Structure formats: structure tokens, C-alpha cells
mmCIF file of all heavy atoms in Angstrom:
data_model
loop_
_atom_site.group_PDB
_atom_site.id
_atom_site.type_symbol
_atom_site.label_atom_id
_atom_site.label_comp_id
_atom_site.label_asym_id
_atom_site.label_seq_id
_atom_site.Cartn_x
_atom_site.Cartn_y
_atom_site.Cartn_z
ATOM 1 N N GLU A 22 91.608 72.632 64.048
ATOM 2 C CA GLU A 22 90.379 71.837 63.942
ATOM 3 C C GLU A 22 89.192 72.739 63.589
ATOM 4 O O GLU A 22 88.356 72.388 62.754
ATOM 5 C CB GLU A 22 90.108 71.105 65.265
ATOM 6 C CG GLU A 22 88.898 70.193 65.191
ATOM 7 C CD GLU A 22 88.734 69.334 66.434
ATOM 8 O OE1 GLU A 22 89.548 69.475 67.376
ATOM 9 O OE2 GLU A 22 87.790 68.517 66.465
ATOM 10 N N LYS A 23 89.149 73.904 64.207
ATOM 11 C CA LYS A 23 88.078 74.872 63.920
ATOM 12 C C LYS A 23 88.099 75.303 62.460
ATOM 13 O O LYS A 23 87.057 75.490 61.835
ATOM 14 C CB LYS A 23 88.241 76.081 64.835
ATOM 15 C CG LYS A 23 87.168 77.150 64.651
ATOM 16 C CD LYS A 23 87.408 78.312 65.602
ATOM 17 C CE LYS A 23 86.370 79.407 65.400
ATOM 18 N NZ LYS A 23 86.609 80.560 66.309
ATOM 19 N N ASN A 24 89.302 75.452 61.913
ATOM 20 C CA ASN A 24 89.444 75.906 60.523
ATOM 21 C C ASN A 24 89.614 74.766 59.525
ATOM 22 O O ASN A 24 89.876 75.009 58.337
ATOM 23 C CB ASN A 24 90.644 76.849 60.418
ATOM 24 C CG ASN A 24 90.425 78.145 61.188
ATOM 25 O OD1 ASN A 24 89.366 78.752 61.101
ATOM 26 N ND2 ASN A 24 91.415 78.562 61.961
ATOM 27 N N SER A 25 89.470 73.523 60.007
ATOM 28 C CA SER A 25 89.563 72.330 59.161
ATOM 29 C C SER A 25 90.880 72.267 58.392
ATOM 30 O O SER A 25 90.905 72.066 57.169
ATOM 31 C CB SER A 25 88.375 72.274 58.188
ATOM 32 O OG SER A 25 87.160 72.211 58.887
ATOM 33 N N ARG A 26 91.985 72.438 59.127
ATOM 34 C CA ARG A 26 93.308 72.407 58.505
ATOM 35 C C ARG A 26 94.193 71.384 59.214
ATOM 36 O O ARG A 26 94.032 71.127 60.409
ATOM 37 C CB ARG A 26 93.937 73.796 58.548
ATOM 38 C CG ARG A 26 93.221 74.769 57.616
ATOM 39 C CD ARG A 26 93.679 76.186 57.802
ATOM 40 N NE ARG A 26 92.935 77.075 56.898
ATOM 41 C CZ ARG A 26 92.841 78.382 57.075
ATOM 42 N NH1 ARG A 26 93.436 78.962 58.101
ATOM 43 N NH2 ARG A 26 92.154 79.118 56.212
ATOM 44 N N PRO A 27 95.146 70.799 58.492
ATOM 45 C CA PRO A 27 95.966 69.726 59.059
ATOM 46 C C PRO A 27 97.133 70.237 59.912
ATOM 47 O O PRO A 27 97.568 71.383 59.794
ATOM 48 C CB PRO A 27 96.500 69.003 57.822
ATOM 49 C CG PRO A 27 96.597 70.095 56.790
ATOM 50 C CD PRO A 27 95.442 71.014 57.063
ATOM 51 N N VAL A 28 97.619 69.334 60.764
ATOM 52 C CA VAL A 28 98.756 69.611 61.632
ATOM 53 C C VAL A 28 99.756 68.468 61.464
ATOM 54 O O VAL A 28 99.366 67.299 61.401
ATOM 55 C CB VAL A 28 98.327 69.715 63.114
ATOM 56 C CG1 VAL A 28 99.505 70.137 63.984
ATOM 57 C CG2 VAL A 28 97.174 70.699 63.269
ATOM 58 N N TYR A 29 101.046 68.807 61.421
ATOM 59 C CA TYR A 29 102.100 67.825 61.179
ATOM 60 C C TYR A 29 103.140 67.868 62.290
ATOM 61 O O TYR A 29 103.336 68.893 62.947
ATOM 62 C CB TYR A 29 102.792 68.108 59.838
ATOM 63 C CG TYR A 29 101.886 67.950 58.649
ATOM 64 C CD1 TYR A 29 101.020 68.979 58.269
ATOM 65 C CD2 TYR A 29 101.873 66.776 57.904
ATOM 66 C CE1 TYR A 29 100.166 68.839 57.179
ATOM 67 C CE2 TYR A 29 101.034 66.628 56.815
ATOM 68 C CZ TYR A 29 100.185 67.652 56.460
ATOM 69 O OH TYR A 29 99.344 67.501 55.386
ATOM 70 N N LEU A 30 103.840 66.742 62.454
ATOM 71 C CA LEU A 30 104.974 66.699 63.375
ATOM 72 C C LEU A 30 105.844 65.501 63.024
ATOM 73 O O LEU A 30 105.437 64.612 62.273
ATOM 74 C CB LEU A 30 104.505 66.629 64.840
ATOM 75 C CG LEU A 30 103.672 65.415 65.306
ATOM 76 C CD1 LEU A 30 104.561 64.219 65.661
ATOM 77 C CD2 LEU A 30 102.845 65.786 66.522
ATOM 78 N N GLU A 31 107.065 65.504 63.591
ATOM 79 C CA GLU A 31 107.969 64.361 63.458
ATOM 80 C C GLU A 31 108.552 64.053 64.834
ATOM 81 O O GLU A 31 108.750 64.952 65.646
ATOM 82 C CB GLU A 31 109.135 64.663 62.502
ATOM 83 C CG GLU A 31 108.737 65.047 61.104
ATOM 84 C CD GLU A 31 108.476 66.535 60.985
ATOM 85 O OE1 GLU A 31 109.287 67.338 61.481
ATOM 86 O OE2 GLU A 31 107.425 66.888 60.419
ATOM 87 N N THR A 32 108.836 62.786 65.079
ATOM 88 C CA THR A 32 109.494 62.401 66.325
ATOM 89 C C THR A 32 110.336 61.150 66.098
ATOM 90 O O THR A 32 109.956 60.267 65.330
ATOM 91 C CB THR A 32 108.474 62.157 67.454
ATOM 92 O OG1 THR A 32 109.181 61.809 68.651
ATOM 93 C CG2 THR A 32 107.503 61.029 67.109
ATOM 94 N N ALA A 33 111.472 61.101 66.788
ATOM 95 C CA ALA A 33 112.332 59.914 66.743
ATOM 96 C C ALA A 33 112.175 59.095 68.013
ATOM 97 O O ALA A 33 112.850 58.091 68.194
ATOM 98 C CB ALA A 33 113.791 60.333 66.563
ATOM 99 N N ASN A 34 111.268 59.527 68.869
ATOM 100 C CA ASN A 34 111.041 58.858 70.153
ATOM 101 C C ASN A 34 109.737 58.066 70.097
ATOM 102 O O ASN A 34 108.650 58.649 70.033
ATOM 103 C CB ASN A 34 110.993 59.896 71.274
ATOM 104 C CG ASN A 34 110.974 59.275 72.657
ATOM 105 O OD1 ASN A 34 110.502 58.159 72.849
ATOM 106 N ND2 ASN A 34 111.497 59.997 73.638
ATOM 107 N N ILE A 35 109.842 56.751 70.130
ATOM 108 C CA ILE A 35 108.643 55.908 70.019
ATOM 109 C C ILE A 35 107.664 56.145 71.162
ATOM 110 O O ILE A 35 106.455 55.996 70.994
ATOM 111 C CB ILE A 35 109.042 54.402 69.933
ATOM 112 C CG1 ILE A 35 107.831 53.536 69.563
ATOM 113 C CG2 ILE A 35 109.687 53.940 71.218
ATOM 114 C CD1 ILE A 35 107.212 53.823 68.223
ATOM 115 N N LYS A 36 108.167 56.529 72.334
ATOM 116 C CA LYS A 36 107.282 56.823 73.464
ATOM 117 C C LYS A 36 106.377 58.017 73.141
ATOM 118 O O LYS A 36 105.210 58.044 73.529
ATOM 119 C CB LYS A 36 108.098 57.114 74.724
ATOM 120 C CG LYS A 36 108.836 55.901 75.272
ATOM 121 C CD LYS A 36 109.607 56.260 76.539
ATOM 122 C CE LYS A 36 110.363 55.044 77.080
ATOM 123 N NZ LYS A 36 111.142 55.396 78.300
ATOM 124 N N ASN A 37 106.935 58.990 72.418
ATOM 125 C CA ASN A 37 106.142 60.166 72.056
ATOM 126 C C ASN A 37 105.071 59.839 71.026
ATOM 127 O O ASN A 37 104.031 60.501 70.977
ATOM 128 C CB ASN A 37 107.048 61.269 71.508
ATOM 129 C CG ASN A 37 107.933 61.880 72.577
ATOM 130 O OD1 ASN A 37 107.680 61.729 73.766
ATOM 131 N ND2 ASN A 37 108.986 62.558 72.158
ATOM 132 N N VAL A 38 105.323 58.817 70.202
ATOM 133 C CA VAL A 38 104.339 58.422 69.195
ATOM 134 C C VAL A 38 103.000 58.109 69.858
ATOM 135 O O VAL A 38 101.939 58.553 69.395
ATOM 136 C CB VAL A 38 104.831 57.193 68.398
ATOM 137 C CG1 VAL A 38 103.697 56.608 67.555
ATOM 138 C CG2 VAL A 38 106.002 57.583 67.498
ATOM 139 N N HIS A 39 103.036 57.385 70.956
ATOM 140 C CA HIS A 39 101.797 57.005 71.645
ATOM 141 C C HIS A 39 101.094 58.228 72.237
ATOM 142 O O HIS A 39 99.857 58.292 72.270
ATOM 143 C CB HIS A 39 102.104 55.974 72.730
ATOM 144 C CG HIS A 39 102.749 54.721 72.195
ATOM 145 N ND1 HIS A 39 102.111 53.883 71.313
ATOM 146 C CD2 HIS A 39 103.980 54.181 72.397
ATOM 147 C CE1 HIS A 39 102.906 52.874 71.004
ATOM 148 N NE2 HIS A 39 104.047 53.043 71.641
ATOM 149 N N ILE A 40 101.880 59.200 72.683
ATOM 150 C CA ILE A 40 101.290 60.437 73.215
ATOM 151 C C ILE A 40 100.571 61.192 72.106
ATOM 152 O O ILE A 40 99.441 61.663 72.269
ATOM 153 C CB ILE A 40 102.388 61.328 73.841
ATOM 154 C CG1 ILE A 40 102.991 60.634 75.075
ATOM 155 C CG2 ILE A 40 101.824 62.697 74.221
ATOM 156 C CD1 ILE A 40 104.201 61.333 75.648
ATOM 157 N N TYR A 41 101.202 61.266 70.950
ATOM 158 C CA TYR A 41 100.606 62.006 69.834
ATOM 159 C C TYR A 41 99.388 61.289 69.265
ATOM 160 O O TYR A 41 98.445 61.936 68.807
ATOM 161 C CB TYR A 41 101.659 62.225 68.740
ATOM 162 C CG TYR A 41 102.803 63.115 69.173
ATOM 163 C CD1 TYR A 41 104.128 62.789 68.869
ATOM 164 C CD2 TYR A 41 102.572 64.283 69.900
ATOM 165 C CE1 TYR A 41 105.181 63.608 69.266
ATOM 166 C CE2 TYR A 41 103.616 65.100 70.306
ATOM 167 C CZ TYR A 41 104.919 64.753 69.989
ATOM 168 O OH TYR A 41 105.947 65.561 70.385
ATOM 169 N N ILE A 42 99.398 59.971 69.292
ATOM 170 C CA ILE A 42 98.223 59.215 68.841
ATOM 171 C C ILE A 42 97.002 59.577 69.693
ATOM 172 O O ILE A 42 95.889 59.730 69.178
ATOM 173 C CB ILE A 42 98.502 57.701 68.877
ATOM 174 C CG1 ILE A 42 99.456 57.320 67.731
ATOM 175 C CG2 ILE A 42 97.208 56.897 68.772
ATOM 176 C CD1 ILE A 42 99.923 55.875 67.756
ATOM 177 N N LYS A 43 97.230 59.760 70.988
ATOM 178 C CA LYS A 43 96.131 60.150 71.878
ATOM 179 C C LYS A 43 95.587 61.538 71.550
ATOM 180 O O LYS A 43 94.443 61.849 71.864
ATOM 181 C CB LYS A 43 96.605 60.109 73.334
ATOM 182 C CG LYS A 43 96.858 58.700 73.869
ATOM 183 C CD LYS A 43 97.322 58.744 75.309
ATOM 184 C CE LYS A 43 97.592 57.341 75.844
ATOM 185 N NZ LYS A 43 98.084 57.359 77.255
ATOM 186 N N LYS A 44 96.419 62.354 70.918
ATOM 187 C CA LYS A 44 95.985 63.697 70.523
ATOM 188 C C LYS A 44 95.356 63.711 69.130
ATOM 189 O O LYS A 44 94.986 64.765 68.615
ATOM 190 C CB LYS A 44 97.181 64.659 70.539
ATOM 191 C CG LYS A 44 97.836 64.827 71.897
ATOM 192 C CD LYS A 44 96.947 65.519 72.917
ATOM 193 C CE LYS A 44 96.778 66.980 72.653
ATOM 194 N NZ LYS A 44 96.015 67.666 73.722
ATOM 195 N N GLY A 45 95.216 62.531 68.532
ATOM 196 C CA GLY A 45 94.552 62.434 67.237
ATOM 197 C C GLY A 45 95.466 62.320 66.034
ATOM 198 O O GLY A 45 95.003 62.320 64.890
ATOM 199 N N PHE A 46 96.786 62.181 66.257
ATOM 200 C CA PHE A 46 97.735 62.051 65.154
ATOM 201 C C PHE A 46 97.853 60.596 64.708
ATOM 202 O O PHE A 46 97.624 59.677 65.488
ATOM 203 C CB PHE A 46 99.119 62.555 65.575
ATOM 204 C CG PHE A 46 99.219 64.046 65.680
ATOM 205 C CD1 PHE A 46 98.829 64.699 66.839
ATOM 206 C CD2 PHE A 46 99.706 64.798 64.624
ATOM 207 C CE1 PHE A 46 98.921 66.084 66.945
ATOM 208 C CE2 PHE A 46 99.809 66.173 64.717
ATOM 209 C CZ PHE A 46 99.407 66.816 65.885
ATOM 210 N N LYS A 47 98.248 60.417 63.451
ATOM 211 C CA LYS A 47 98.495 59.090 62.900
ATOM 212 C C LYS A 47 99.816 59.105 62.136
ATOM 213 O O LYS A 47 100.172 60.110 61.515
ATOM 214 C CB LYS A 47 97.359 58.673 61.958
ATOM 215 C CG LYS A 47 96.024 58.460 62.668
ATOM 216 C CD LYS A 47 94.955 58.025 61.671
ATOM 217 C CE LYS A 47 93.626 57.807 62.375
ATOM 218 N NZ LYS A 47 92.558 57.386 61.417
ATOM 219 N N ILE A 48 100.545 57.993 62.192
ATOM 220 C CA ILE A 48 101.776 57.858 61.416
ATOM 221 C C ILE A 48 101.410 57.690 59.944
ATOM 222 O O ILE A 48 100.554 56.886 59.598
ATOM 223 C CB ILE A 48 102.597 56.647 61.882
ATOM 224 C CG1 ILE A 48 103.057 56.823 63.330
ATOM 225 C CG2 ILE A 48 103.804 56.430 60.973
ATOM 226 C CD1 ILE A 48 103.699 55.573 63.924
ATOM 227 N N TYR A 49 102.057 58.464 59.064
ATOM 228 C CA TYR A 49 101.788 58.311 57.634
ATOM 229 C C TYR A 49 103.058 58.079 56.819
ATOM 230 O O TYR A 49 102.995 57.756 55.637
ATOM 231 C CB TYR A 49 101.021 59.519 57.088
ATOM 232 C CG TYR A 49 101.823 60.797 57.059
ATOM 233 C CD1 TYR A 49 102.445 61.231 55.890
ATOM 234 C CD2 TYR A 49 101.953 61.584 58.201
ATOM 235 C CE1 TYR A 49 103.173 62.400 55.854
ATOM 236 C CE2 TYR A 49 102.676 62.766 58.171
ATOM 237 C CZ TYR A 49 103.287 63.165 57.013
ATOM 238 O OH TYR A 49 104.013 64.329 56.982
ATOM 239 N N ASN A 50 104.225 58.218 57.477
ATOM 240 C CA ASN A 50 105.470 57.939 56.772
ATOM 241 C C ASN A 50 106.600 57.793 57.783
ATOM 242 O O ASN A 50 106.441 58.162 58.956
ATOM 243 C CB ASN A 50 105.813 59.053 55.775
ATOM 244 C CG ASN A 50 106.668 58.559 54.612
ATOM 245 O OD1 ASN A 50 107.203 57.441 54.653
ATOM 246 N ND2 ASN A 50 106.803 59.364 53.580
ATOM 247 N N LYS A 51 107.732 57.252 57.333
ATOM 248 C CA LYS A 51 108.910 57.129 58.194
ATOM 249 C C LYS A 51 110.151 57.466 57.380
ATOM 250 O O LYS A 51 110.219 57.195 56.184
ATOM 251 C CB LYS A 51 109.042 55.712 58.764
ATOM 252 C CG LYS A 51 108.107 55.410 59.909
ATOM 253 C CD LYS A 51 108.545 54.192 60.711
ATOM 254 C CE LYS A 51 108.484 52.916 59.905
ATOM 255 N NZ LYS A 51 108.778 51.732 60.779
ATOM 256 N N TRP A 52 111.118 58.049 58.054
ATOM 257 C CA TRP A 52 112.420 58.326 57.457
ATOM 258 C C TRP A 52 113.437 57.512 58.231
ATOM 259 O O TRP A 52 113.619 57.721 59.433
ATOM 260 C CB TRP A 52 112.722 59.824 57.552
ATOM 261 C CG TRP A 52 113.940 60.289 56.811
ATOM 262 C CD1 TRP A 52 114.062 60.471 55.468
ATOM 263 C CD2 TRP A 52 115.203 60.676 57.370
ATOM 264 N NE1 TRP A 52 115.319 60.946 55.152
ATOM 265 C CE2 TRP A 52 116.039 61.091 56.303
ATOM 266 C CE3 TRP A 52 115.707 60.719 58.672
ATOM 267 C CZ2 TRP A 52 117.345 61.525 56.493
ATOM 268 C CZ3 TRP A 52 117.014 61.157 58.868
ATOM 269 C CH2 TRP A 52 117.811 61.558 57.787
#
């Protein structure tokens, strides 16, 4: 955030999706 650069992750656990949303992540694709 300090360096204005993006962060990525993947998860197959829907429960974790909500945790990551709270950290500022958004879903942008699905496999």
C-alpha cells in the first residue's frame, strides 16, 4: 500500500473469501 502496488491471492474456500474482503481484496476472476 505504501508503494502503491497490487497484491494477489487465490482461495478455494468460500469462508476465506469473506476474510480477504475485509482486508480490502475483491474477486476479479474464477477458475
Side-chain angles (χ1 to χ4, degrees):
E22 184 173 2
K23 181 180 178 181
N24 294 315
S25 299
R26 290 171 181 161
V28 185
Y29 296 82
L30 62 83
E31 301 87 46
T32 181
N34 189 332
I35 190 62
K36 292 181 181 179
N37 290 343
V38 168
H39 301 297
I40 294 172
Y41 295 136
I42 287 174
K43 290 180 181 179
K44 299 293 288 185
F46 286 84
K47 293 181 180 180
I48 297 171
Y49 68 98
N50 207 348
K51 283 198 295 186
W52 188 76

